[in-house]
Protein backbone atom coordinates (compact mmCIF):
# COMPACT_ATOMS: atom_id res chain seq x y z
CA UNK A 1 0.00 0.00 0.00
CA UNK A 2 2.67 2.50 1.03
CA UNK A 3 4.90 1.61 -1.93
CA UNK A 4 2.02 2.16 -4.36
CA UNK A 5 1.19 5.54 -2.84
CA UNK A 6 4.86 6.58 -2.99
CA UNK A 7 5.02 5.58 -6.65
CA UNK A 8 1.89 7.64 -7.33
CA UNK A 9 3.32 10.66 -5.50
CA UNK A 10 6.62 10.31 -7.37
CA UNK A 11 4.70 10.06 -10.66
CA UNK A 12 2.79 13.24 -9.81
CA UNK A 13 6.04 14.98 -8.91
CA UNK A 14 7.65 14.04 -12.24
CA UNK A 15 4.63 15.25 -14.19
CA UNK A 16 4.73 18.54 -12.28
CA UNK A 17 8.44 18.92 -13.04
CA UNK A 18 7.82 18.33 -16.75
CA UNK A 19 4.94 20.82 -16.68
CA UNK A 20 6.98 23.43 -14.83
CA UNK A 21 9.96 22.96 -17.13
CA UNK A 22 7.74 23.32 -20.19
CA UNK A 23 6.23 26.52 -18.80
CA UNK A 24 9.71 27.86 -18.03
CA UNK A 25 10.97 27.16 -21.56
CA UNK A 26 7.88 28.78 -23.04
CA UNK A 27 8.25 31.91 -20.89
CA UNK A 28 11.97 32.25 -21.65
CA UNK A 29 11.31 31.87 -25.37
CA UNK A 30 8.48 34.40 -25.15
CA UNK A 31 10.79 36.86 -23.37
CA UNK A 32 13.50 36.55 -26.03
CA UNK A 33 10.94 36.87 -28.81
CA UNK A 34 9.30 39.89 -27.16
CA UNK A 35 12.57 41.77 -26.65
CA UNK A 36 13.95 40.88 -30.08
CA UNK A 37 10.81 41.83 -31.99
CA UNK A 38 10.35 45.08 -30.04
CA UNK A 39 13.94 46.21 -30.55
CA UNK A 40 13.88 45.33 -34.24
CA UNK A 41 10.47 46.94 -34.81
CA UNK A 42 11.21 50.06 -32.78
CA UNK A 43 14.50 50.74 -34.53
CA UNK A 44 14.19 53.91 -36.64
CA UNK A 45 14.08 52.22 -40.02
CA UNK A 46 13.66 55.08 -42.53
CA UNK A 47 16.60 57.20 -41.36
CA UNK A 48 18.82 54.21 -40.53
CA UNK A 49 19.16 50.78 -42.12
CA UNK A 50 18.46 47.74 -39.95
CA UNK A 51 21.98 46.51 -40.78
CA UNK A 52 23.49 49.20 -38.56
CA UNK A 53 22.15 47.42 -35.44
CA UNK A 54 25.32 46.41 -33.61
CA UNK A 55 26.03 42.78 -32.69
CA UNK A 56 26.72 43.81 -29.12
CA UNK A 57 23.42 45.22 -27.83
CA UNK A 58 25.03 47.83 -25.58
CA UNK A 59 26.98 49.28 -28.51
CA UNK A 60 23.68 50.61 -29.90
CA UNK A 61 23.58 53.22 -27.12
CA UNK A 62 25.80 56.29 -26.72
CA UNK A 63 28.85 55.85 -24.52
CA UNK A 64 27.69 58.55 -22.09
CA UNK A 65 24.33 56.85 -21.43
CA UNK A 66 24.15 56.00 -17.71
CA UNK A 67 21.94 52.92 -18.18
CA UNK A 68 24.32 51.56 -20.81
CA UNK A 69 27.20 52.12 -18.40
CA UNK A 70 25.32 50.31 -15.62
CA UNK A 71 24.57 47.45 -18.02
CA UNK A 72 28.27 47.10 -18.76
CA UNK A 73 29.08 47.13 -15.03
CA UNK A 74 26.53 44.38 -14.39
CA UNK A 75 27.94 42.35 -17.28
CA UNK A 76 31.42 42.74 -15.81
CA UNK A 77 30.10 41.50 -12.46
CA UNK A 78 28.42 38.57 -14.20
CA UNK A 79 31.64 37.59 -15.98
CA UNK A 80 33.63 37.90 -12.75
CA UNK A 81 31.26 35.50 -10.99
CA UNK A 82 30.48 33.06 -13.81
CA UNK A 83 33.95 32.69 -15.33
CA UNK A 84 35.53 30.97 -12.28
CA UNK A 85 32.63 28.50 -12.17
CA UNK A 86 33.05 27.66 -15.85
CA UNK A 87 36.80 27.36 -15.35
CA UNK A 88 36.20 24.94 -12.48
CA UNK A 89 33.86 22.84 -14.62
CA UNK A 90 36.41 22.76 -17.45
CA UNK A 91 39.16 21.78 -15.01
CA UNK A 92 37.11 19.01 -13.41
CA UNK A 93 36.02 17.58 -16.76
CA UNK A 94 39.27 17.89 -18.68
CA UNK A 95 41.88 17.19 -16.03
CA UNK A 96 39.69 14.53 -14.43
CA UNK A 97 39.48 12.59 -17.68
CA UNK A 98 43.06 13.13 -18.83
CA UNK A 99 44.93 12.68 -15.54
CA UNK A 100 42.34 10.89 -13.40
CA UNK A 101 42.64 13.68 -10.83
CA UNK A 102 40.86 17.04 -10.91
CA UNK A 103 43.89 18.77 -9.36
CA UNK A 104 47.01 16.93 -10.54
CA UNK A 105 49.31 19.85 -9.66
CA UNK A 106 49.44 23.63 -9.50
CA UNK A 107 51.33 23.68 -12.80
CA UNK A 108 48.63 21.69 -14.65
CA UNK A 109 45.87 23.99 -13.38
CA UNK A 110 47.90 27.09 -14.22
CA UNK A 111 48.56 25.88 -17.79
CA UNK A 112 44.87 25.06 -18.26
CA UNK A 113 43.80 28.49 -16.95
CA UNK A 114 46.33 30.28 -19.18
CA UNK A 115 45.12 28.26 -22.19
CA UNK A 116 41.45 29.04 -21.53
CA UNK A 117 42.09 32.74 -20.99
CA UNK A 118 44.47 32.81 -23.95
CA UNK A 119 41.87 31.33 -26.30
CA UNK A 120 39.32 33.93 -25.19
CA UNK A 121 41.75 36.82 -25.54
CA UNK A 122 42.98 35.59 -28.94
CA UNK A 123 39.40 35.30 -30.17
CA UNK A 124 38.62 38.83 -28.96
CA UNK A 125 41.75 40.18 -30.67
CA UNK A 126 41.54 38.42 -34.02
CA UNK A 127 37.77 37.90 -34.48
CA UNK A 128 35.87 40.46 -32.38
CA UNK A 129 32.45 39.71 -33.95
CA UNK A 130 30.38 38.41 -31.06
CA UNK A 131 27.40 37.72 -33.32
CA UNK A 132 29.45 35.41 -35.51
CA UNK A 133 30.94 33.63 -32.53
CA UNK A 134 27.51 33.03 -31.04
CA UNK A 135 26.20 31.92 -34.44
CA UNK A 136 28.96 29.37 -35.05
CA UNK A 137 29.17 28.04 -31.50
CA UNK A 138 25.38 27.93 -31.19
CA UNK A 139 25.03 25.99 -34.43
CA UNK A 140 27.82 23.58 -33.41
CA UNK A 141 26.44 22.96 -29.93
CA UNK A 142 22.90 22.80 -31.31
CA UNK A 143 24.00 20.16 -33.78
CA UNK A 144 25.47 18.07 -30.98
CA UNK A 145 22.99 18.60 -28.13
CA UNK A 146 19.72 19.09 -30.03
CA UNK A 147 20.06 17.00 -33.17
CA UNK A 148 22.76 14.32 -32.85
CA UNK A 149 22.92 13.16 -29.20
CA UNK A 150 19.18 12.74 -28.54
CA UNK A 151 18.63 10.98 -31.85
CA UNK A 152 21.61 8.65 -31.40
CA UNK A 153 20.74 7.83 -27.79
CA UNK A 154 17.16 7.05 -28.79
CA UNK A 155 18.29 4.91 -31.73
CA UNK A 156 20.79 3.01 -29.59
CA UNK A 157 18.16 2.31 -26.92
CA UNK A 158 15.69 1.09 -29.55
CA UNK A 159 18.40 -1.10 -31.11
CA UNK A 160 19.25 -2.67 -27.74
CA UNK A 161 15.56 -3.43 -27.13
CA UNK A 162 15.21 -4.86 -30.64
CA UNK A 163 12.51 -2.30 -31.55
CA UNK A 164 14.44 -0.27 -34.14
CA UNK A 165 12.60 0.02 -37.45
CA UNK A 166 13.78 1.40 -40.78
CA UNK A 167 11.24 4.23 -40.62
CA UNK A 168 12.49 5.34 -37.21
CA UNK A 169 16.09 5.14 -38.41
CA UNK A 170 15.37 7.21 -41.54
CA UNK A 171 13.41 9.84 -39.59
CA UNK A 172 16.18 10.29 -37.03
CA UNK A 173 18.91 10.40 -39.67
CA UNK A 174 16.85 13.12 -41.39
CA UNK A 175 16.74 15.04 -38.08
CA UNK A 176 20.53 14.81 -37.79
CA UNK A 177 20.89 15.97 -41.41
CA UNK A 178 18.71 19.01 -40.59
CA UNK A 179 21.20 19.91 -37.85
CA UNK A 180 24.12 19.48 -40.25
CA UNK A 181 22.33 21.70 -42.80
CA UNK A 182 21.79 24.34 -40.10
CA UNK A 183 25.50 24.28 -39.25
CA UNK A 184 26.51 24.57 -42.90
CA UNK A 185 24.03 27.42 -43.43
CA UNK A 186 25.80 29.47 -40.76
CA UNK A 187 28.91 29.60 -42.93
CA UNK A 188 26.96 30.63 -46.03
CA UNK A 189 25.44 33.78 -44.49
Amino acid sequence: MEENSLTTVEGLQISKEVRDLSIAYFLVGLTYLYVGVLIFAAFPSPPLAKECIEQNFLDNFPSDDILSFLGRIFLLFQMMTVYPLLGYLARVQLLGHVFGNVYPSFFHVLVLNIAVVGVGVAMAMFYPNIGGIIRYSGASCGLAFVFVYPSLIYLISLHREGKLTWLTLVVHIFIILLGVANLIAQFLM
Side-chain angles (χ1 to χ4, degrees), residues 87-88 90-92 94-96 99 101-117:
Y88 174 75
R91 178 170 57 92
V92 166
L94 186 65
L95 297 182
F99 297 107
N101 185 1
V102 296
Y103 197 88
S105 73
F106 176 78
F107 178 73
H108 288 89
V109 174
L110 180 66
V111 168
L112 177 65
N113 287 340
I114 289 172
V116 169
V117 171

Side-chain angles (χ1 to χ4, degrees), residues 4-25:
N4 290 338
S5 60
L6 283 177
T7 304
T8 304
V9 170
E10 287 175 1
L12 288 174
Q13 183 65 25
I14 290 173
S15 68
K16 286 183 181 180
E17 288 175 3
V18 170
R19 179 201 66 199
D20 294 346
L21 189 61
S22 299
I23 291 170
Y25 275 120

Side-chain angles (χ1 to χ4, degrees), residues 136-149:
Y136 301 135
S137 63
S140 302
C141 292
L143 173 64
F145 295 119
V146 174
F147 294 103
V148 174
Y149 294 157

Side-chain angles (χ1 to χ4, degrees), residues 1 6-7 29 79 90 96 115 117 123 133 139 141 160-161 163 182:
M1 172 73 176
L6 283 177
T7 304
M79 289 299 124
V117 171
M123 185 65 73
I133 295 168
C141 292
R160 286 183 180 167
E161 294 173 1
K163 296 180 181 178
N182 179 42

